[in-house]
Amino acid sequence: MALSLPLPKSQQQQQQTTTTDGEIEEIDIFHQFDVVSDSSDHHYLVNNIDNDSSSSSSKKTKDGGGDSLTNISSGVYKKIMQEWKILEKHLPDSIYVRAHENRIDLLRAVIIGVAGTPYHDGLYFFDIAFPPDYPARPPLVYYRSFGLRINPNLYANGRVCLSLLNTWPGRKGEKWNSSESTVLQVLVSIQALVLNEKPYYNEPGNGLLPGRAIWEKKSNAYSENVFFLSCKTMLFLLRRPPKNFEGFVASHFREKASVILSACNAYINGQTRVGYYRNDGSCSSGSSSTVDVSDKFKGLMGQLYPELLLGFKRNGASLGNFVEPSVQPVEMKTRSFRGKAVIQSKKSGFARTVFLKLKRVLGLKKMNKSGKSGVKEKGF
């Protein structure tokens, strides 16, 4: 017979502060670990994914019988409660977790992107589920991607590839160890090993062959795309924040909006490489000269920046000094028929560019007044 569950009470509290006008204002304290009741949008609940891949009989435990997730005398229940205590005491400042009182097998975590990486100041959410034979098997982890792939280890479908989760091949010491591994280790590993300074090299094989300059160029281009997709993720989160984190998402981006927009400008203008902007406006790369920025990145960020600015303002951020960046049309050199360099603006569009290339290949010239194309007949 299943026993009642003596679950910890929610720690949600309010703190009183005094405003500049002398008024007392109550602010909700968002604890790093807390227990909540609403799990309605959790990935493993919404998609009705059974944590147990074997028969239902495996949910019966030797040390108490009944459902291992509701029987407080079962080893699984005790282990999950132990995980809660570890998370409550040892989470780093940049990771927040919510457990669910109605489903102790479910967790939700958010990792704040670390400075010095293309993920800085972003929020990355993960839904976690304990299998009924935990810790014999590692937890299931799903990344809330919004359909965007921001890392070789984080797929657009939410799959998380990590040796510690047994979702990626690794040495014995890197895989899940039922007697030692914890959810805290999983979260810290994602933050340090996955959301790192140069995620391009997470892909097996990248950087192994000679030619460091080529690899670094590809790595920089990959980081540019990562930052762009991370900014898109910010907009998705503002529009559809995960449950129990609505206030946290809004508060975080109100606080970080000016830093994020300043970083966007610095990257677009080539003041520093993506990921190296610091909150104080300096560049951690240590270079005082401008760096090369791809035209693709400039174009993508030039389009996204106004959306970010508007999204942050609607969220309540004070951004009086920020305006839309004036991105100049990129010019490229092409050759005329006589071999002289001619400046052609990319604003002409894709179709016109293709047409001009066809004219050059076919040897066509501008129509003359008589209506003839001016193509010279070749002698035989």
Side-chain angles (χ1 to χ4, degrees), residues 17-25:
T17 59
T18 304
T19 65
T20 54
D21 299 330
E23 298 179 355
I24 296 177
E25 182 182 36

Side-chain angles (χ1 to χ4, degrees), residues 12-19 22-30 251 254:
Q12 190 66 41
Q13 301 173 357
Q14 287 187 328
Q15 178 180 348
Q16 289 187 343
T17 59
T18 304
T19 65
E23 298 179 355
I24 296 177
E25 182 182 36
E26 289 188 343
I27 301 176
D28 288 334
I29 301 174
F30 196 84
S251 176
R254 274 196 299 269

Side-chain angles (χ1 to χ4, degrees), residues 71-84:
N71 188 345
I72 63 174
S73 63
S74 74
V76 176
Y77 181 93
K78 292 177 180 178
K79 178 62 177 176
I80 292 177
M81 291 299 104
Q82 184 182 1
E83 291 278 7
W84 284 20

Side-chain angles (χ1 to χ4, degrees), residues 125 181 188 260 363:
F125 282 86
S181 302
V188 172
I260 294 168

